[in-house]
Amino acid sequence: MTLEKNFIRISSHILCFILIVRHSGYYISSTTIFEFGFKQPLIDIFLIPITAGFGAFFIWKRFKQFKITFKQTIKLLIVISIILIFNFIVKKYDILSFFLYKVSDYELRRPSLFIIIPIFLALVVASLKFNYNWVIIYTLVCISWISENFILHYTSVILSVSYLSSSIFEKFSIGIFILIYVLIVIYINFFEIDRINIFLEIIFVFCFLKILFKLSEYLGKFFTINISMSVLIFYLLQAIIFNIFNMIELSNNRILSVIIVYILCLAGMTILKRFKLE
């Protein structure tokens, strides 16, 4: 196995585990209902960037060369179709409310698996080759800042972070990114910020991914991961399992739930791989 492949696998496993920890606060303990501000446990404030970081993970350091394949497009469109059917028919979500949902709408029920849509849009935009990509991206940032539309917001955050991953900022010392990351957490707590603005969130997510990849690079010197993982499929599995936990009220223990969901997701990935469905 190449060092690069091992690095990607380690990064994927860490990201997926952190994703479960983050979502356990939303699905199990309900401590991250106000999920982008100070009204949640400290550990969840540290994990605020995971939502956009999950999307930017796909394009990191590949923005200028990124191209979404036809097969990937079809796979994502099928997933999005299932998400839309589930929200409109099963959960009876209003179509207009679905597409106009705002990042500040804490009091409203968020559509299920909503983040997949801005991820898909970000991947499509990243595949389009323009000479002035940054103009398009930061125009989207400004529009989403004003409108607070969830889909626009995360499309622009994912694109911005991915674009910055190939910039001069990427070469800064990891210590700087850790310091900025901690200072943002302190800022949210000290000033009791209900929700950080989009510009600070872009910096937060960028630092999160820098720390994630640096940690993966370090662990790669000592560990070899033989289990490959599709981050997108893992995301879908953990969301399904958490929803089942909620419906049957299986557990309200957050730590136990994280362990069980992670193991079940790995088992599900193994089964899908065996039947070549992953």
Side-chain angles (χ1 to χ4, degrees), residues 185-253:
V185 172
I186 293 172
Y187 164 74
I188 292 170
N189 262 320
F190 186 79
F191 292 99
E192 297 187 344
I193 304 299
D194 280 323
R195 181 180 175 93
I196 56 176
N197 64 57
I198 188 171
F199 303 102
L200 192 58
E201 186 175 357
I202 289 169
I203 298 171
F204 207 7
V205 176
F206 185 79
C207 292
F208 167 77
L209 286 175
K210 278 293 297 182
I211 295 167
L212 168 68
F213 290 129
K214 193 64 180 179
L215 176 62
S216 302
E217 183 182 319
Y218 176 77
L219 293 175
K221 298 176 182 178
F222 307 100
F223 302 101
T224 300
I225 303 293
N226 295 315
I227 304 173
S228 62
M229 177 181 291
S230 167
V231 176
L232 178 61
I233 299 300
F234 191 97
Y235 180 89
L236 296 174
L237 285 174
Q238 61 85 31
I240 292 168
I241 295 169
F242 269 130
N243 274 293
I244 293 172
F245 272 32
N246 263 349
M247 287 188 291
I248 63 178
E249 298 180 353
L250 183 61
S251 174
N252 58 1
N253 185 309

Side-chain angles (χ1 to χ4, degrees), residues 34-82:
F34 296 92
E35 56 186 313
F36 298 103
F38 75 100
K39 296 177 181 177
Q40 56 183 322
L42 185 60
I43 185 174
D44 293 314
I45 296 176
F46 270 98
L47 298 182
I48 285 175
I50 188 65
T51 303
F54 169 73
F57 179 84
F58 294 99
I59 321 174
W60 182 266
K61 278 196 175 181
R62 295 190 298 154
F63 187 88
K64 294 180 180 179
Q65 298 81 30
F66 183 81
K67 185 171 179 62
I68 186 170
T69 65
F70 179 75
K71 184 179 179 181
Q72 289 170 331
T73 302
I74 295 301
K75 184 188 291 187
L76 279 166
L77 285 174
I78 291 171
V79 170
I80 290 173
S81 298
I82 294 170

Side-chain angles (χ1 to χ4, degrees), residues 118-133:
I119 288 175
F120 174 71
L121 292 176
L123 295 178
V124 171
V125 174
S127 295
L128 303 174
K129 304 305 176 188
F130 298 110
N131 291 329
Y132 298 99
N133 277 24

Side-chain angles (χ1 to χ4, degrees), residues 1-236:
M1 184 193 302
T2 63
L3 289 175
E4 184 178 359
K5 185 176 288 187
N6 188 48
F7 166 77
I8 293 171
R9 287 184 178 181
I10 292 174
S11 301
S12 299
H13 277 270
I14 296 174
L15 180 70
C16 289
F17 184 78
I18 294 175
L19 186 71
I20 289 178
V21 175
R22 173 66 170 162
H23 284 178
S24 67
Y26 185 80
Y27 287 104
I28 303 301
S29 61
S30 299
T31 54
T32 54
I33 294 174
F34 296 92
E35 56 186 313
F36 298 103
F38 75 100
K39 296 177 181 177
Q40 56 183 322
L42 185 60
I43 185 174
D44 293 314
I45 296 176
F46 270 98
L47 298 182
I48 285 175
I50 188 65
T51 303
F54 169 73
F57 179 84
F58 294 99
I59 321 174
W60 182 266
K61 278 196 175 181
R62 295 190 298 154
F63 187 88
K64 294 180 180 179
Q65 298 81 30
F66 183 81
K67 185 171 179 62
I68 186 170
T69 65
F70 179 75
K71 184 179 179 181
Q72 289 170 331
T73 302
I74 295 301
K75 184 188 291 187
L76 279 166
L77 285 174
I78 291 171
V79 170
I80 290 173
S81 298
I82 294 170
I83 291 171
L84 294 176
I85 291 169
F86 179 75
N87 278 287
F88 296 151
I89 296 177
V90 179
K91 301 194 82 171
K92 302 186 184 305
Y93 211 94
D94 178 69
I95 295 177
L96 188 62
S97 299
F98 182 90
F99 289 105
L100 294 181
Y101 184 87
K102 294 184 177 182
V103 289
S104 57
D105 285 339
Y106 284 132
E107 70 279 6
L108 299 180
R109 178 172 52 94
R110 179 187 295 180
S112 299
L113 303 168
F114 205 22
I115 191 64
I116 302 298
I117 295 174
I119 288 175
F120 174 71
L121 292 176
L123 295 178
V124 171
V125 174
S127 295
L128 303 174
K129 304 305 176 188
F130 298 110
N131 291 329
Y132 298 99
N133 277 24
W134 63 271
V135 175
I136 297 169
I137 293 169
Y138 290 106
T139 299
L140 281 174
V141 169
C142 291
I143 293 172
S144 60
W145 178 41
I146 296 168
S147 69
E148 293 190 334
N149 180 272
F150 184 95
I151 295 174
L152 272 180
H153 178 92
Y154 279 105
T155 301
S156 55
V157 170
I158 291 167
L159 285 170
S160 299
V161 172
S162 305
Y163 184 78
L164 288 173
S165 69
S166 299
S167 70
I168 189 172
F169 300 111
E170 199 276 330
K171 301 181 185 299
F172 288 0
S173 165
I174 189 63
I176 294 175
F177 294 109
I178 294 173
L179 177 61
I180 294 172
Y181 197 88
V182 173
L183 287 175
I184 292 175
V185 172
I186 293 172
Y187 164 74
I188 292 170
N189 262 320
F190 186 79
F191 292 99
E192 297 187 344
I193 304 299
D194 280 323
R195 181 180 175 93
I196 56 176
N197 64 57
I198 188 171
F199 303 102
L200 192 58
E201 186 175 357
I202 289 169
I203 298 171
F204 207 7
V205 176
F206 185 79
C207 292
F208 167 77
L209 286 175
K210 278 293 297 182
I211 295 167
L212 168 68
F213 290 129
K214 193 64 180 179
L215 176 62
S216 302
E217 183 182 319
Y218 176 77
L219 293 175
K221 298 176 182 178
F222 307 100
F223 302 101
T224 300
I225 303 293
N226 295 315
I227 304 173
S228 62
M229 177 181 291
S230 167
V231 176
L232 178 61
I233 299 300
F234 191 97
Y235 180 89
L236 296 174

